[in-house]
Amino acid sequence: MSAQFHAPRRGPLIFLVLMLAVVASVVRLDLLPALADASGSAGELLGFLARFTAPELKPAFLAKVGQGLLETLAISLIGTLLAVIGAVALALPASGRWGQVASVVSRFCLNVLRSVPELVWATITVLAAGLGPFAGTLALGLHTAGVLGRLYAEALENADQRPEAALRAAGAPVVPAFVYGVLPMVAPQWLAYGLYRWEMNIRMAAVLGFVGAGGLGAQLYYAMSLFQEARAATIIVAMLLLSWAVDAVSGALRRHFVLAA
């Protein structure tokens, strides 16, 4: 009764705090002068955007964009595959199956991997491995391994342990007991998580090129640096088409395996 009585009074206070936070953010970021400047140069901005409405369609350039598209797809695919392998390797000890010490160490590794954004990982891998798609693949793999490892470990913790325990009690070794007792329950979740992250990585793979990690992002950065709006528009369209295609394929695969499970 007391909670119900005080709840309406807290509503205006929370709203006031949020409004003050918004106003403080606007002042801190100097958004009002920026908006005033933008309104004064609206014609120039519209002209800049208009130059993106005529993508370049020369066959030679389209072939180059196609190569970048395939490179971006390969970066996302291999990066996600490496991440899945690393995630499984860290999720097993992180779920507590190998003792408390192994769980703490592996969870710390997962936290480090996913706490560093992909762009930061890409900057590090570019410095370590040089410019090109290999750096982008490593960056995606490292960050995504941290994300998937946490999800995989939670799926293992929430899985029913009784089938595995029954197999162990019947004399089955550790690995077969896990493969036949636990893995069938968590495999659909693991696959769904992996496909979802692949969808996200296809977008991030296109962005990583801005720091020299190859793919469509590198081509877009080059075109924008030279103010080649028509070529930039073509590359952006290619990014959108690739993202749409991967989303469609990933969604179809998830639905197929969920129904099969």
Coordinates of all heavy atoms in Angstrom, one line a residue, residues 100-201:
Q100 N 36.2 -23.8 -9.9 CA 36.0 -22.4 -9.7 C 37.1 -21.5 -10.2 O 36.9 -20.5 -10.8 CB 35.9 -22.2 -8.2 CG 35.5 -20.7 -7.8 CD 34.1 -20.3 -8.3 OE1 33.3 -21.2 -8.5 NE2 33.9 -19.1 -8.5
V101 N 38.4 -22.0 -10.1 CA 39.5 -21.2 -10.6 C 39.4 -21.0 -12.1 O 39.6 -19.9 -12.6 CB 40.8 -21.8 -10.2 CG1 42.0 -21.1 -10.8 CG2 40.9 -21.9 -8.7
A102 N 39.2 -22.1 -12.8 CA 39.0 -22.0 -14.3 C 37.9 -21.1 -14.7 O 37.9 -20.4 -15.7 CB 38.9 -23.4 -14.9
S103 N 36.8 -21.2 -13.9 CA 35.6 -20.3 -14.2 C 35.9 -18.9 -14.1 O 35.6 -18.0 -14.9 CB 34.5 -20.7 -13.3 OG 33.4 -19.9 -13.5
V104 N 36.6 -18.5 -13.0 CA 37.0 -17.1 -12.8 C 37.9 -16.6 -13.8 O 37.7 -15.5 -14.4 CB 37.6 -16.9 -11.4 CG1 38.1 -15.5 -11.2 CG2 36.6 -17.2 -10.3
V105 N 38.9 -17.4 -14.2 CA 39.9 -17.0 -15.2 C 39.3 -16.8 -16.5 O 39.5 -15.8 -17.3 CB 41.1 -18.0 -15.2 CG1 42.0 -17.6 -16.4 CG2 41.9 -18.0 -13.9
S106 N 38.5 -17.8 -17.0 CA 37.8 -17.7 -18.3 C 36.8 -16.6 -18.4 O 36.7 -15.9 -19.4 CB 37.2 -19.1 -18.6 OG 36.3 -19.4 -17.6
R107 N 36.1 -16.4 -17.3 CA 35.1 -15.2 -17.3 C 35.9 -13.9 -17.4 O 35.4 -13.0 -18.0 CB 34.2 -15.3 -16.1 CG 33.1 -16.4 -16.1 CD 32.2 -16.3 -14.9 NE 31.2 -17.3 -15.1 CZ 30.0 -17.1 -15.7 NH1 29.8 -15.9 -16.3 NH2 29.1 -18.0 -15.8
F108 N 37.0 -13.8 -16.7 CA 37.8 -12.6 -16.9 C 38.2 -12.4 -18.3 O 38.2 -11.3 -18.8 CB 39.0 -12.7 -15.9 CG 39.9 -11.5 -16.1 CD1 39.6 -10.3 -15.5 CD2 41.1 -11.7 -16.8 CE1 40.5 -9.2 -15.7 CE2 42.0 -10.6 -16.9 CZ 41.7 -9.4 -16.4
C109 N 38.7 -13.4 -19.0 CA 39.1 -13.3 -20.4 C 37.9 -12.9 -21.2 O 38.1 -12.1 -22.1 CB 39.6 -14.7 -20.8 SG 41.2 -15.2 -20.1
L110 N 36.7 -13.5 -21.0 CA 35.5 -13.1 -21.8 C 35.2 -11.6 -21.5 O 34.8 -10.9 -22.5 CB 34.4 -14.0 -21.4 CG 34.5 -15.5 -21.8 CD1 33.3 -16.3 -21.2 CD2 34.5 -15.6 -23.3
N111 N 35.3 -11.2 -20.3 CA 35.0 -9.8 -20.0 C 36.0 -8.8 -20.8 O 35.6 -7.8 -21.3 CB 35.1 -9.5 -18.5 CG 33.9 -10.1 -17.8 OD1 32.8 -10.3 -18.3 ND2 34.1 -10.4 -16.5
V112 N 37.2 -9.2 -20.8 CA 38.2 -8.4 -21.5 C 37.9 -8.4 -23.0 O 38.0 -7.3 -23.6 CB 39.6 -8.9 -21.2 CG1 40.7 -8.2 -22.1 CG2 40.0 -8.7 -19.8
L113 N 37.6 -9.5 -23.6 CA 37.4 -9.6 -25.0 C 36.2 -8.8 -25.5 O 36.3 -8.1 -26.5 CB 37.2 -11.1 -25.4 CG 38.5 -12.0 -25.4 CD1 38.1 -13.4 -25.7 CD2 39.5 -11.5 -26.3
R114 N 35.1 -8.9 -24.7 CA 33.9 -8.2 -25.2 C 33.9 -6.7 -24.7 O 33.1 -5.9 -25.2 CB 32.7 -8.9 -24.7 CG 32.3 -8.8 -23.2 CD 31.0 -9.4 -23.0 NE 30.6 -9.4 -21.6 CZ 30.9 -10.3 -20.7 NH1 31.6 -11.4 -21.1 NH2 30.6 -10.2 -19.4
S115 N 34.7 -6.3 -23.7 CA 34.7 -5.0 -23.3 C 35.4 -4.0 -24.2 O 35.2 -2.8 -24.2 CB 35.4 -4.9 -21.9 OG 34.7 -5.6 -20.9
V116 N 36.3 -4.6 -25.0 CA 37.1 -3.8 -26.0 C 36.2 -3.8 -27.3 O 36.0 -4.8 -27.9 CB 38.5 -4.3 -26.3 CG1 39.2 -3.5 -27.3 CG2 39.2 -4.4 -25.0
P117 N 35.8 -2.6 -27.8 CA 35.0 -2.5 -29.0 C 35.8 -3.1 -30.3 O 37.0 -3.1 -30.3 CB 34.7 -1.0 -29.2 CG 34.9 -0.5 -27.8 CD 36.0 -1.3 -27.2
E118 N 35.0 -3.4 -31.3 CA 35.6 -4.0 -32.5 C 36.6 -3.0 -33.1 O 37.7 -3.4 -33.6 CB 34.5 -4.4 -33.5 CG 33.6 -5.5 -33.1 CD 32.3 -5.0 -32.5 OE1 32.4 -3.9 -31.8 OE2 31.3 -5.6 -32.6
L119 N 36.2 -1.7 -33.1 CA 37.1 -0.7 -33.8 C 38.4 -0.6 -33.1 O 39.5 -0.4 -33.7 CB 36.4 0.6 -33.9 CG 35.4 0.8 -35.0 CD1 34.6 2.1 -34.8 CD2 36.0 0.7 -36.3
V120 N 38.4 -0.7 -31.7 CA 39.6 -0.7 -31.0 C 40.5 -1.9 -31.2 O 41.7 -1.9 -31.4 CB 39.3 -0.5 -29.5 CG1 40.6 -0.5 -28.7 CG2 38.6 0.8 -29.2
W121 N 39.8 -3.1 -31.2 CA 40.5 -4.3 -31.6 C 41.1 -4.2 -33.0 O 42.3 -4.7 -33.2 CB 39.6 -5.5 -31.5 CG 39.4 -6.1 -30.2 CD1 38.2 -6.3 -29.5 CD2 40.4 -6.7 -29.3 NE1 38.5 -7.0 -28.3 CE2 39.8 -7.2 -28.2 CE3 41.8 -6.8 -29.4 CZ2 40.5 -7.7 -27.1 CZ3 42.5 -7.3 -28.4 CH2 41.9 -7.8 -27.3
A122 N 40.4 -3.6 -33.9 CA 40.9 -3.5 -35.3 C 42.1 -2.6 -35.3 O 43.1 -2.9 -36.1 CB 39.8 -2.9 -36.2
T123 N 42.1 -1.5 -34.6 CA 43.3 -0.6 -34.5 C 44.5 -1.4 -34.0 O 45.6 -1.2 -34.5 CB 43.0 0.6 -33.6 OG1 41.8 1.2 -34.1 CG2 44.1 1.5 -33.6
I124 N 44.2 -2.2 -32.9 CA 45.4 -3.0 -32.4 C 45.9 -4.0 -33.4 O 47.1 -4.2 -33.6 CB 44.9 -3.7 -31.1 CG1 44.6 -2.6 -30.0 CG2 46.0 -4.6 -30.5 CD1 43.9 -3.2 -28.8
T125 N 44.9 -4.8 -34.0 CA 45.3 -5.8 -34.9 C 46.0 -5.3 -36.2 O 46.9 -5.9 -36.8 CB 44.1 -6.7 -35.3 OG1 43.1 -5.9 -35.8 CG2 43.6 -7.5 -34.1
V126 N 45.5 -4.1 -36.6 CA 46.2 -3.4 -37.8 C 47.7 -3.1 -37.4 O 48.6 -3.3 -38.2 CB 45.4 -2.2 -38.2 CG1 46.3 -1.3 -39.1 CG2 44.2 -2.6 -38.9
L127 N 47.9 -2.6 -36.2 CA 49.3 -2.3 -35.8 C 50.1 -3.6 -35.7 O 51.3 -3.6 -35.9 CB 49.2 -1.6 -34.5 CG 48.6 -0.2 -34.5 CD1 48.6 0.4 -33.1 CD2 49.5 0.8 -35.4
A128 N 49.4 -4.7 -35.2 CA 50.2 -5.9 -35.0 C 50.3 -6.7 -36.3 O 51.4 -7.3 -36.5 CB 49.4 -6.8 -34.0
A129 N 49.3 -6.8 -37.1 CA 49.3 -7.7 -38.3 C 49.4 -6.9 -39.6 O 49.5 -7.5 -40.7 CB 48.1 -8.6 -38.3
G130 N 49.3 -5.6 -39.6 CA 49.3 -4.8 -40.8 C 48.0 -4.6 -41.4 O 47.0 -5.1 -41.0
L131 N 47.9 -3.7 -42.4 CA 46.7 -3.4 -43.0 C 46.1 -4.5 -43.8 O 46.9 -5.4 -44.3 CB 46.8 -2.2 -44.0 CG 47.3 -0.8 -43.3 CD1 47.6 0.2 -44.4 CD2 46.2 -0.3 -42.4
G132 N 44.8 -4.6 -43.9 CA 44.2 -5.7 -44.7 C 43.1 -6.5 -44.0 O 42.9 -6.2 -42.8
P133 N 42.5 -7.4 -44.7 CA 41.4 -8.1 -44.1 C 41.7 -9.0 -43.0 O 40.9 -9.4 -42.2 CB 40.9 -9.0 -45.3 CG 42.0 -9.0 -46.3 CD 42.8 -7.8 -46.1
F134 N 43.0 -9.5 -42.9 CA 43.4 -10.4 -41.8 C 43.2 -9.6 -40.4 O 42.7 -10.2 -39.5 CB 44.8 -10.8 -41.9 CG 45.3 -11.7 -40.9 CD1 44.7 -13.0 -40.7 CD2 46.3 -11.3 -40.0 CE1 45.2 -13.8 -39.6 CE2 46.8 -12.2 -39.0 CZ 46.2 -13.4 -38.8
A135 N 43.5 -8.4 -40.4 CA 43.4 -7.6 -39.2 C 41.9 -7.5 -38.8 O 41.5 -7.6 -37.6 CB 44.0 -6.2 -39.3
G136 N 41.0 -7.2 -39.8 CA 39.6 -7.1 -39.5 C 39.0 -8.5 -39.1 O 38.2 -8.5 -38.2
T137 N 39.5 -9.6 -39.6 CA 39.0 -10.9 -39.2 C 39.4 -11.1 -37.8 O 38.6 -11.6 -37.0 CB 39.6 -12.0 -40.1 OG1 39.3 -11.7 -41.5 CG2 39.1 -13.3 -39.7
L138 N 40.6 -10.8 -37.4 CA 41.1 -11.0 -36.0 C 40.2 -10.1 -35.0 O 39.8 -10.6 -34.0 CB 42.5 -10.7 -35.8 CG 43.5 -11.7 -36.4 CD1 45.0 -11.2 -36.2 CD2 43.3 -13.1 -35.8
A139 N 40.0 -8.9 -35.4 CA 39.3 -8.0 -34.6 C 37.8 -8.5 -34.3 O 37.4 -8.5 -33.2 CB 39.2 -6.6 -35.2
L140 N 37.2 -8.9 -35.4 CA 35.8 -9.5 -35.2 C 35.8 -10.7 -34.3 O 35.0 -10.9 -33.5 CB 35.2 -9.8 -36.5 CG 34.7 -8.6 -37.4 CD1 34.1 -9.1 -38.7 CD2 33.7 -7.8 -36.6
G141 N 36.8 -11.6 -34.6 CA 36.9 -12.8 -33.8 C 37.1 -12.6 -32.4 O 36.5 -13.2 -31.5
L142 N 38.0 -11.7 -32.0 CA 38.3 -11.4 -30.6 C 37.1 -10.9 -29.9 O 36.7 -11.3 -28.8 CB 39.5 -10.4 -30.5 CG 40.8 -11.0 -30.9 CD1 41.9 -9.9 -31.0 CD2 41.3 -12.1 -29.9
H143 N 36.5 -9.8 -30.4 CA 35.3 -9.2 -29.7 C 34.1 -10.2 -29.7 O 33.5 -10.4 -28.6 CB 34.9 -7.9 -30.4 CG 33.7 -7.3 -29.8 ND1 33.8 -6.5 -28.6 CD2 32.4 -7.3 -30.1 CE1 32.6 -6.1 -28.3 NE2 31.7 -6.6 -29.2
T144 N 33.8 -10.8 -30.8 CA 32.7 -11.7 -30.8 C 32.9 -12.9 -30.0 O 31.9 -13.5 -29.4 CB 32.4 -12.1 -32.3 OG1 32.3 -10.9 -33.1 CG2 31.1 -12.9 -32.4
A145 N 34.1 -13.4 -29.8 CA 34.4 -14.5 -28.9 C 34.0 -14.2 -27.5 O 33.4 -15.0 -26.8 CB 35.8 -14.9 -29.0
G146 N 34.2 -13.0 -27.1 CA 33.8 -12.6 -25.7 C 32.3 -12.5 -25.5 O 31.8 -12.9 -24.5
V147 N 31.6 -12.0 -26.6 CA 30.2 -11.9 -26.5 C 29.5 -13.3 -26.5 O 28.7 -13.7 -25.6 CB 29.6 -11.1 -27.6 CG1 28.1 -11.0 -27.6 CG2 30.2 -9.6 -27.5
L148 N 29.9 -14.1 -27.5 CA 29.3 -15.4 -27.6 C 29.7 -16.3 -26.4 O 28.9 -17.2 -26.0 CB 29.8 -16.1 -28.9 CG 29.2 -15.5 -30.2 CD1 29.7 -16.2 -31.4 CD2 27.7 -15.6 -30.2
G149 N 31.0 -16.2 -25.9 CA 31.4 -17.0 -24.8 C 30.5 -16.8 -23.6 O 30.2 -17.8 -22.9
R150 N 30.2 -15.6 -23.3 CA 29.3 -15.3 -22.2 C 27.9 -15.9 -22.4 O 27.3 -16.6 -21.5 CB 29.1 -13.8 -22.0 CG 28.1 -13.4 -21.0 CD 28.5 -13.8 -19.6 NE 27.5 -13.4 -18.6 CZ 27.5 -12.2 -18.0 NH1 28.4 -11.3 -18.3 NH2 26.6 -11.9 -17.1
L151 N 27.4 -15.8 -23.6 CA 26.0 -16.4 -23.9 C 26.1 -17.9 -23.9 O 25.2 -18.6 -23.4 CB 25.6 -15.9 -25.3 CG 25.3 -14.4 -25.4 CD1 25.0 -14.0 -26.9 CD2 24.2 -14.0 -24.5
Y152 N 27.2 -18.5 -24.4 CA 27.3 -20.0 -24.4 C 27.4 -20.5 -23.0 O 26.8 -21.5 -22.7 CB 28.5 -20.4 -25.2 CG 28.3 -20.2 -26.7 CD1 27.2 -19.7 -27.3 CD2 29.4 -20.6 -27.6 CE1 27.0 -19.6 -28.6 CE2 29.2 -20.5 -29.0 CZ 28.1 -19.9 -29.5 OH 27.9 -19.8 -30.9
A153 N 28.2 -19.8 -22.2 CA 28.3 -20.2 -20.8 C 27.0 -20.2 -20.0 O 26.7 -21.1 -19.2 CB 29.4 -19.4 -20.1
E154 N 26.2 -19.1 -20.2 CA 24.9 -19.1 -19.6 C 24.0 -20.2 -20.1 O 23.2 -20.7 -19.3 CB 24.3 -17.7 -19.8 CG 25.0 -16.6 -19.1 CD 24.4 -15.2 -19.4 OE1 23.5 -15.1 -20.2 OE2 24.8 -14.2 -18.7
A155 N 24.0 -20.5 -21.3 CA 23.2 -21.6 -21.9 C 23.6 -22.9 -21.2 O 22.7 -23.7 -20.9 CB 23.4 -21.7 -23.4
L156 N 24.9 -23.1 -21.0 CA 25.3 -24.3 -20.3 C 24.9 -24.4 -18.9 O 24.5 -25.4 -18.4 CB 26.9 -24.4 -20.4 CG 27.5 -24.9 -21.7 CD1 29.0 -24.8 -21.7 CD2 27.1 -26.3 -22.1
E157 N 25.0 -23.2 -18.2 CA 24.5 -23.2 -16.8 C 23.0 -23.5 -16.6 O 22.6 -24.1 -15.6 CB 24.9 -21.8 -16.2 CG 26.4 -21.6 -16.0 CD 26.7 -20.2 -15.6 OE1 25.8 -19.4 -15.6 OE2 27.9 -20.0 -15.2
N158 N 22.2 -23.0 -17.6 CA 20.8 -23.1 -17.5 C 20.3 -24.5 -18.0 O 19.1 -24.8 -17.9 CB 20.1 -22.0 -18.2 CG 20.4 -20.6 -17.6 OD1 20.6 -20.5 -16.4 ND2 20.5 -19.6 -18.4
A159 N 21.2 -25.2 -18.7 CA 20.7 -26.5 -19.2 C 20.4 -27.5 -18.1 O 21.1 -27.5 -17.1 CB 21.8 -27.0 -20.2
D160 N 19.6 -28.5 -18.4 CA 19.2 -29.5 -17.5 C 20.4 -30.5 -17.4 O 20.9 -31.1 -18.4 CB 18.0 -30.3 -18.0 CG 17.5 -31.3 -17.0 OD1 18.1 -31.5 -15.9 OD2 16.4 -31.9 -17.2
Q161 N 21.0 -30.7 -16.2 CA 22.2 -31.5 -16.0 C 21.8 -33.0 -15.8 O 22.8 -33.8 -15.7 CB 23.0 -31.0 -14.9 CG 23.3 -29.5 -15.0 CD 24.2 -29.2 -16.2 OE1 25.1 -29.9 -16.5 NE2 24.0 -28.0 -16.8
R162 N 20.6 -33.3 -15.7 CA 20.2 -34.7 -15.3 C 20.5 -35.7 -16.4 O 21.0 -36.8 -16.1 CB 18.7 -34.7 -15.0 CG 18.4 -34.0 -13.6 CD 16.9 -34.0 -13.4 NE 16.2 -33.2 -14.4 CZ 14.9 -33.0 -14.4 NH1 14.1 -33.6 -13.4 NH2 14.3 -32.3 -15.3
P163 N 20.3 -35.4 -17.7 CA 20.7 -36.4 -18.7 C 22.2 -36.7 -18.6 O 22.6 -37.9 -18.7 CB 20.3 -35.7 -20.0 CG 19.2 -34.8 -19.7 CD 19.6 -34.3 -18.3
E164 N 23.1 -35.7 -18.5 CA 24.5 -35.9 -18.4 C 24.8 -36.7 -17.1 O 25.7 -37.7 -17.2 CB 25.3 -34.6 -18.4 CG 26.8 -34.8 -18.4 CD 27.5 -33.5 -18.3 OE1 26.9 -32.5 -18.0 OE2 28.7 -33.5 -18.6
A165 N 24.2 -36.4 -16.0 CA 24.5 -37.1 -14.8 C 24.0 -38.6 -14.9 O 24.7 -39.5 -14.4 CB 23.7 -36.4 -13.6
A166 N 22.9 -38.8 -15.6 CA 22.5 -40.2 -15.8 C 23.5 -41.0 -16.6 O 23.8 -42.2 -16.3 CB 21.1 -40.2 -16.4
L167 N 24.0 -40.4 -17.6 CA 25.0 -41.1 -18.5 C 26.3 -41.3 -17.7 O 26.9 -42.4 -17.8 CB 25.3 -40.2 -19.7 CG 24.2 -40.1 -20.8 CD1 24.5 -39.1 -21.9 CD2 23.9 -41.5 -21.4
R168 N 26.7 -40.4 -16.9 CA 27.9 -40.6 -16.1 C 27.7 -41.7 -15.1 O 28.6 -42.5 -14.8 CB 28.3 -39.3 -15.4 CG 28.7 -38.1 -16.3 CD 30.1 -38.5 -17.0 NE 31.1 -38.9 -16.0 CZ 31.8 -38.0 -15.3 NH1 31.7 -36.7 -15.5 NH2 32.8 -38.4 -14.5
A169 N 26.5 -41.7 -14.5 CA 26.2 -42.8 -13.5 C 26.2 -44.1 -14.2 O 26.5 -45.2 -13.5 CB 24.8 -42.5 -12.8
A170 N 25.8 -44.2 -15.5 CA 25.8 -45.4 -16.2 C 27.2 -45.9 -16.7 O 27.3 -46.9 -17.3 CB 24.9 -45.3 -17.4
G171 N 28.2 -45.0 -16.4 CA 29.6 -45.4 -16.8 C 30.1 -44.7 -18.0 O 31.2 -45.1 -18.4
A172 N 29.4 -43.8 -18.6 CA 29.9 -43.1 -19.8 C 31.0 -42.1 -19.4 O 31.0 -41.5 -18.4 CB 28.7 -42.3 -20.4
P173 N 32.0 -42.0 -20.3 CA 33.1 -41.1 -20.1 C 32.6 -39.6 -20.1 O 31.5 -39.4 -20.5 CB 34.1 -41.3 -21.2 CG 33.7 -42.7 -21.7 CD 32.3 -42.9 -21.5
V174 N 33.5 -38.7 -19.7 CA 33.1 -37.3 -19.6 C 32.6 -36.7 -20.9 O 31.6 -36.1 -21.0 CB 34.2 -36.5 -19.0 CG1 33.8 -35.0 -19.0 CG2 34.5 -37.0 -17.6
V175 N 33.4 -36.9 -22.0 CA 33.1 -36.3 -23.2 C 31.9 -36.8 -23.9 O 31.0 -36.1 -24.3 CB 34.3 -36.4 -24.2 CG1 34.0 -35.9 -25.6 CG2 35.6 -35.7 -23.6
P176 N 31.7 -38.1 -24.0 CA 30.4 -38.6 -24.6 C 29.2 -38.2 -23.7 O 28.1 -38.0 -24.3 CB 30.6 -40.2 -24.5 CG 32.1 -40.4 -24.6 CD 32.7 -39.2 -23.8
A177 N 29.4 -38.2 -22.4 CA 28.2 -37.8 -21.6 C 27.9 -36.3 -21.9 O 26.7 -36.0 -21.9 CB 28.6 -37.9 -20.1
F178 N 28.8 -35.5 -22.1 CA 28.5 -34.1 -22.5 C 27.9 -34.0 -23.8 O 26.9 -33.3 -24.1 CB 29.8 -33.2 -22.4 CG 29.6 -31.8 -22.9 CD1 29.0 -30.9 -22.2 CD2 30.1 -31.5 -24.2 CE1 28.8 -29.6 -22.7 CE2 29.9 -30.2 -24.7 CZ 29.3 -29.3 -23.9
V179 N 28.5 -34.7 -24.8 CA 28.1 -34.6 -26.2 C 26.6 -35.1 -26.3 O 25.8 -34.5 -27.1 CB 29.0 -35.4 -27.1 CG1 28.4 -35.6 -28.5 CG2 30.4 -34.8 -27.2
Y180 N 26.3 -36.2 -25.6 CA 24.9 -36.7 -25.8 C 23.9 -36.3 -24.7 O 22.7 -36.4 -24.9 CB 25.0 -38.3 -25.7 CG 25.7 -38.9 -26.9 CD1 27.0 -39.3 -26.8 CD2 25.1 -38.9 -28.2 CE1 27.7 -39.9 -27.9 CE2 25.8 -39.5 -29.3 CZ 27.1 -39.9 -29.1 OH 27.7 -40.4 -30.2
G181 N 24.5 -35.7 -23.6 CA 23.6 -35.3 -22.5 C 23.2 -33.9 -22.5 O 22.1 -33.5 -22.1
V182 N 24.2 -33.0 -22.8 CA 24.0 -31.6 -22.7 C 24.0 -30.9 -24.1 O 23.2 -30.0 -24.3 CB 25.1 -31.0 -21.8 CG1 25.0 -29.4 -21.7 CG2 25.1 -31.6 -20.4
L183 N 24.9 -31.3 -24.9 CA 25.1 -30.6 -26.2 C 23.8 -30.5 -27.0 O 23.5 -29.4 -27.6 CB 26.2 -31.2 -27.0 CG 26.7 -30.4 -28.2 CD1 27.2 -29.0 -27.9 CD2 27.8 -31.2 -29.0
P184 N 23.0 -31.6 -27.1 CA 21.8 -31.4 -27.9 C 20.8 -30.4 -27.4 O 20.1 -29.8 -28.2 CB 21.2 -32.8 -27.8 CG 22.3 -33.7 -27.5 CD 23.2 -32.9 -26.7
M185 N 20.9 -30.1 -26.1 CA 20.0 -29.0 -25.5 C 20.5 -27.6 -25.8 O 19.7 -26.7 -26.0 CB 19.8 -29.3 -24.0 CG 19.1 -30.5 -23.6 SD 18.8 -30.6 -21.9 CE 20.5 -31.0 -21.3
V186 N 21.8 -27.4 -25.8 CA 22.3 -26.1 -26.0 C 22.7 -25.8 -27.4 O 22.9 -24.6 -27.7 CB 23.5 -25.9 -25.1 CG1 23.2 -26.0 -23.6 CG2 24.7 -26.8 -25.4
A187 N 22.8 -26.8 -28.2 CA 23.3 -26.5 -29.6 C 22.4 -25.6 -30.4 O 22.8 -24.7 -31.1 CB 23.4 -27.9 -30.4
P188 N 21.0 -25.7 -30.3 CA 20.2 -24.8 -31.1 C 20.4 -23.3 -30.6 O 20.4 -22.4 -31.4 CB 18.7 -25.2 -30.8 CG 18.9 -26.7 -30.4 CD 20.2 -26.8 -29.7
Q189 N 20.5 -23.1 -29.3 CA 20.8 -21.8 -28.8 C 22.1 -21.3 -29.2 O 22.3 -20.1 -29.7 CB 20.8 -21.8 -27.2 CG 19.4 -21.9 -26.6 CD 19.5 -21.8 -25.1 OE1 19.8 -22.8 -24.4 NE2 19.2 -20.6 -24.6
W190 N 23.2 -22.1 -29.2 CA 24.5 -21.7 -29.6 C 24.4 -21.3 -31.1 O 25.0 -20.3 -31.5 CB 25.5 -22.8 -29.4 CG 25.9 -23.0 -28.0 CD1 25.4 -22.4 -26.9 CD2 27.0 -23.9 -27.5 NE1 26.1 -22.8 -25.8 CE2 27.0 -23.7 -26.1 CE3 27.8 -24.8 -28.2 CZ2 27.9 -24.4 -25.3 CZ3 28.7 -25.5 -27.4 CH2 28.8 -25.3 -26.0
L191 N 23.8 -22.1 -31.9 CA 23.7 -21.8 -33.3 C 22.9 -20.5 -33.6 O 23.4 -19.7 -34.4 CB 23.0 -22.9 -34.1 CG 22.9 -22.8 -35.6 CD1 24.3 -22.7 -36.2 CD2 22.1 -24.0 -36.2
A192 N 21.8 -20.3 -32.9 CA 21.1 -19.0 -33.0 C 21.9 -17.8 -32.7 O 21.9 -16.8 -33.3 CB 19.8 -19.1 -32.2
Y193 N 22.6 -17.9 -31.5 CA 23.5 -16.8 -31.1 C 24.5 -16.6 -32.2 O 24.9 -15.4 -32.5 CB 24.1 -17.1 -29.8 CG 23.2 -17.1 -28.6 CD1 23.4 -18.0 -27.5 CD2 22.1 -16.3 -28.5 CE1 22.5 -18.0 -26.4 CE2 21.3 -16.3 -27.4 CZ 21.5 -17.1 -26.4 OH 20.6 -17.1 -25.3
G194 N 25.2 -17.6 -32.7 CA 26.2 -17.5 -33.7 C 25.7 -16.8 -34.9 O 26.4 -15.9 -35.5
L195 N 24.5 -17.2 -35.4 CA 24.0 -16.6 -36.6 C 23.6 -15.1 -36.4 O 23.8 -14.3 -37.3 CB 22.8 -17.4 -37.1 CG 23.0 -18.8 -37.6 CD1 21.7 -19.5 -37.9 CD2 23.8 -18.7 -38.9
Y196 N 23.1 -14.8 -35.2 CA 22.7 -13.4 -34.9 C 24.0 -12.6 -34.9 O 24.0 -11.5 -35.4 CB 22.0 -13.4 -33.6 CG 21.6 -12.0 -33.2 CD1 20.7 -11.3 -33.9 CD2 22.3 -11.4 -32.1 CE1 20.4 -10.0 -33.5 CE2 21.9 -10.1 -31.7 CZ 21.0 -9.4 -32.5 OH 20.7 -8.1 -32.1
R197 N 25.0 -13.1 -34.3 CA 26.3 -12.3 -34.3 C 26.9 -12.2 -35.7 O 27.5 -11.1 -36.0 CB 27.3 -12.9 -33.3 CG 27.0 -12.8 -31.9 CD 26.9 -11.4 -31.4 NE 28.1 -10.6 -31.8 CZ 28.3 -9.3 -31.4 NH1 27.3 -8.7 -30.7 NH2 29.4 -8.7 -31.7
W198 N 26.7 -13.1 -36.5 CA 27.1 -13.0 -37.9 C 26.4 -11.9 -38.6 O 27.0 -11.1 -39.4 CB 26.9 -14.3 -38.7 CG 27.4 -14.3 -40.1 CD1 28.5 -13.7 -40.6 CD2 26.7 -14.9 -41.2 NE1 28.6 -13.9 -41.9 CE2 27.5 -14.6 -42.4 CE3 25.6 -15.6 -41.4 CZ2 27.2 -15.0 -43.6 CZ3 25.2 -16.1 -42.7 CH2 26.0 -15.8 -43.8
E199 N 25.1 -11.7 -38.3 CA 24.4 -10.6 -38.9 C 25.0 -9.3 -38.5 O 25.2 -8.3 -39.3 CB 22.9 -10.6 -38.5 CG 22.1 -11.8 -39.0 CD 20.7 -11.8 -38.5 OE1 20.3 -10.7 -38.0 OE2 20.0 -12.8 -38.5
M200 N 25.3 -9.2 -37.2 CA 25.9 -7.9 -36.7 C 27.4 -7.7 -37.2 O 27.8 -6.6 -37.5 CB 26.0 -8.0 -35.2 CG 24.6 -8.1 -34.5 SD 24.7 -8.1 -32.7 CE 25.3 -6.5 -32.4
N201 N 28.1 -8.8 -37.4 CA 29.5 -8.7 -37.9 C 29.6 -8.3 -39.3 O 30.6 -7.7 -39.7 CB 30.2 -10.1 -37.7 CG 30.6 -10.3 -36.2 OD1 30.6 -9.4 -35.4 ND2 30.9 -11.5 -35.9

